[in-house]
Amino acid sequence: KGFYVRRIFITHLGSLYAHKGLIFYNNILESVFKRQRWYRPRYSTAQFKREAMAQLTEIEQFNADYLKPRFLR
């Protein structure tokens, strides 16, 4: 179950945050996203919360709010 949950996180919530430029400090997430041509790491976690989270669209915010409690326990 743990592997499946992490995979869902990487696929959905991690991808949403990666598209917005979050720098991942987790080696697995970093290695997954740094292979993507579109990934441009720009924000530390604190910067991301202050700056990028405010730029999420309504749908992106809904998706993040839906996924976070399910995968970040």
Side-chain angles (χ1 to χ4, degrees):
K1 181 180 177 185
F3 175 78
Y4 178 74
V5 169
R6 284 190 295 272
R7 189 137 177 100
I8 294 293
F9 173 78
I10 290 170
T11 303
H12 296 288
L13 191 57
S15 184
L16 171 66
Y17 290 166
H19 274 283
K20 298 297 181 179
L22 177 64
I23 297 169
F24 292 99
Y25 297 101
N26 173 291
N27 291 338
I28 294 169
L29 293 173
E30 179 189 17
S31 69
V32 167
F33 291 114
K34 87 176 177 185
R35 288 183 280 180
Q36 306 304 315
R37 289 184 178 170
W38 50 262
Y39 180 54
R40 300 287 183 262
R42 292 181 294 247
Y43 300 107
S44 69
T45 304
Q47 289 173 312
F48 188 81
K49 288 178 181 177
R50 273 194 321 271
E51 300 172 30
M53 289 294 285
Q55 298 175 20
L56 294 179
T57 67
E58 188 175 327
I59 293 171
E60 290 169 335
Q61 187 62 57
F62 175 85
N63 289 337
D65 291 343
Y66 178 80
L67 292 168
K68 275 190 283 189
R70 286 160 178 80
F71 301 113
L72 299 178
R73 295 178 196 200

